[in-house]
Amino acid sequence: MRRLLSIAVLAAALSACGQQEEQAAPPPPEVGVLTVQPTSVALEQELVGRLAPFRSADVRARVPGVLERRVYQEGSDVNEGDVLFRIDPAQLQAALGTAQGAQAQAQANYANAKTAADRARQLAPTNFISKADVDNALAAERSAEAALQAARASTQTAQINLGYATVRAPISGRAGKQQLTEGALVGQGDSTLLTTVDQIDPLYINFSISAAEFNRIRAMSLDQGAGGGQVEIVLADGSVHDQMATLDFSGDVVDPASGAIQLRATVPNPDRRLLPGIYVTLRANMGQQSGVFLVPQAAVLRDANTAYVLVAGEGDKVVRKPVRTDRAQDGQWVITEGLTAGDRVIVSGVPKARPDAVVAPKPWTPEQAQAAPAAGTGAPPAGQPADAAGAPATTDDATAAPPQDAAGQAPAANDTQD
């Protein structure tokens, strides 16, 4: 009887040990993984630029005279060739008359010299005129012809100057403020500035980028297709201009004062909403960056040396991989080095994953990240711990209470870390 009782006690002890071993081996923690593949992303730069006219022309008085009147309305749009100012033409008309009289006199002298030269040519074979008289007649004809050409040029110059008395717009654009009032003497020894005309459709946007950043972008061998070279314009009130700008100039000289390289873009401005001189924020698309990985920011960890991610490797064992992050974009890190196609990056449940430990990976989607804050708004029941997301912990989580030994006490802290 005693032997049977001992066997029963021994069987009960072995059963208790088996249950303890089962409790000491919890299931692998559940983590959300994202399988990454190389992709192409747009390389965007946010910069500050200043608008400038596409063309700007100074309207100056090209002949001396008194300014009679302004024809255009200040600040209005004018077309090429429109009359802007009128200068008193009296002196210019008199100069034209003088030039025309000198031309008429030169024409008469040329006619007389030509007639004498023709007569000398006819008499030369008959020996009724000396050779010297023939030479003199021909020379007089050539001199008269040269004087006539000079008189014609003087007349043409006087006509041009008279035309300059009517000041016209050299280009189409918006005419600026009048610089001189009527009655002012202009054009005396120097061309006097009367106003300016600026073409504001399209407009230039002048901005700069540091030489280091420019070299980094150029070293990426970016694909300029798929929107490369496009610039989005954000105005001071936060609104976005409805027309996209296009990069059209890149300087090749570094400014020694600022260490920057000058860039320029062209933007259509059909409604004249944009004006020269104002500052705008630019979102410049410098092209497509290929062969990079996009990883949610929550999955990228950092220590004192480098950034790294945790990957569910072969046999669902956690592997730490150092990575090189280029920049953050739309809530994700752009990773250029450290990952390979098909890596299962741990995004959720990162605190549960430890290198060389086995995990239970499940696919992760961005919708889960949006749902996690909503689920974490409720408080866990009293006496029940909450996980990192704020949701009540379950018995399947790694954060569940550790099993107790036969004495009813929890194992030491060092035993729960492995």
Side-chain angles (χ1 to χ4, degrees):
M1 187 69 179
R2 292 181 179 178
R3 182 178 298 176
L4 293 177
L5 183 60
S6 300
I7 294 174
V9 173
L10 180 60
L14 292 175
S15 176
C17 291
Q19 293 177 359
Q20 182 176 355
E21 289 179 358
E22 291 179 358
Q23 292 179 354
E30 205 174 90
V31 295
V33 297
L34 176 66
T35 303
V36 296
Q37 296 292 340
T39 184
S40 297
V41 296
L43 179 62
E44 295 184 349
Q45 294 285 326
E46 189 163 304
L47 306 164
V48 176
R50 189 175 186 180
L51 299 176
F54 185 76
R55 290 192 297 173
S56 182
D58 291 340
V59 180
R60 297 181 179 271
R62 305 173 67 176
V63 291
V66 176
L67 188 63
E68 279 191 340
R69 63 190 180 96
R70 169 177 52 84
V71 179
Y72 77 101
Q73 184 177 359
E74 294 174 310
S76 63
D77 293 329
V78 297
N79 296 319
E80 181 179 354
D82 288 353
V83 178
L84 302 181
F85 297 93
R86 294 191 184 278
I87 299 174
D88 184 8
Q91 291 184 346
L92 302 174
Q93 289 174 344
L96 176 59
T98 300
Q100 290 174 339
Q103 179 181 349
Q105 184 178 1
Q107 181 71 42
N109 293 335
Y110 172 69
N112 293 334
K114 189 176 186 308
T115 300
D118 290 342
R119 185 181 302 111
R121 293 188 187 93
Q122 293 176 359
L123 295 177
T126 62
N127 294 325
F128 286 106
I129 187 173
S130 66
K131 185 173 178 53
D133 291 339
V134 173
D135 293 340
N136 291 335
L138 296 178
E141 180 188 21
R142 291 192 293 269
S143 297
E145 182 180 8
L148 177 59
Q149 291 179 353
R152 287 173 178 171
S154 298
T155 301
Q156 186 177 7
T157 301
Q159 289 174 341
I160 293 173
N161 289 337
L162 180 60
Y164 287 156
T166 302
V167 182
R168 301 179 181 273
I171 61 173
S172 298
R174 182 160 295 178
K177 181 181 178 181
Q178 178 183 0
Q179 300 296 319
L180 295 173
T181 60
E182 291 77 4
L185 184 62
V186 297
Q188 290 293 328
D190 191 10
S191 54
T192 306
L193 178 63
L194 301 178
T195 189
T196 57
V197 177
D198 297 324
Q199 181 179 344
I200 60 175
D201 181 26
L203 281 172
Y204 280 139
I205 311 174
N206 296 315
F207 59 101
S208 60
I209 187 172
S210 67
E213 185 70 12
F214 181 81
N215 292 331
R216 186 182 72 86
I217 294 173
R218 186 168 56 181
M220 291 180 182
S221 300
L222 299 177
D223 178 12
Q224 291 298 325
Q230 295 296 309
V231 178
E232 187 178 54
I233 301 174
V234 182
L235 304 179
D237 59 357
S239 62
V240 178
H241 187 55
D242 55 358
Q243 298 284 345
M244 293 291 290
T246 305
L247 289 172
D248 70 339
F249 171 76
S250 174
D252 55 358
V253 178
V254 178
D255 185 356
S258 61
I261 295 177
Q262 297 297 321
L263 300 176
R264 188 182 69 191
T266 305
V267 56
N269 189 30
D271 56 357
R272 308 299 196 273
R273 181 185 178 188
L274 303 178
L275 297 176
I278 66 175
Y279 288 92
V280 293
T281 301
L282 308 177
R283 295 187 186 135
N285 185 351
M286 312 302 291
Q288 295 290 320
Q289 187 178 2
S290 304
V292 297
F293 296 87
L294 293 178
V295 175
Q297 291 184 351
V300 179
L301 308 175
R302 295 183 182 274
D303 57 17
N305 299 321
T306 183
Y308 64 94
V309 297
L310 299 178
V311 176
E314 186 176 355
D316 295 337
K317 184 176 291 187
V318 178
V319 178
R320 168 177 166 154
K321 282 195 170 185
V323 295
R324 180 176 180 181
T325 57
D326 184 72
R327 66 189 182 281
Q329 182 171 312
D330 298 331
Q332 295 177 309
W333 280 111
V334 178
I335 295 180
T336 57
E337 296 179 7
L339 293 178
T340 57
D343 280 347
R344 296 181 297 169
V345 178
I346 299 176
V347 180
S348 64
V350 176
K352 308 174 187 178
R354 299 184 182 182
D356 298 329
V358 178
V359 293
K362 289 190 175 181
W364 178 90
T365 59
E367 290 76 12
Q368 298 176 3
Q370 297 176 359
T377 55
Q384 186 174 358
D387 60 12
T394 63
T395 56
D396 295 334
D397 291 340
T399 56
Q404 296 179 348
D405 56 12
Q409 296 181 355
N414 293 335
D415 297 336
T416 62
Q417 295 179 359
D418 294 333

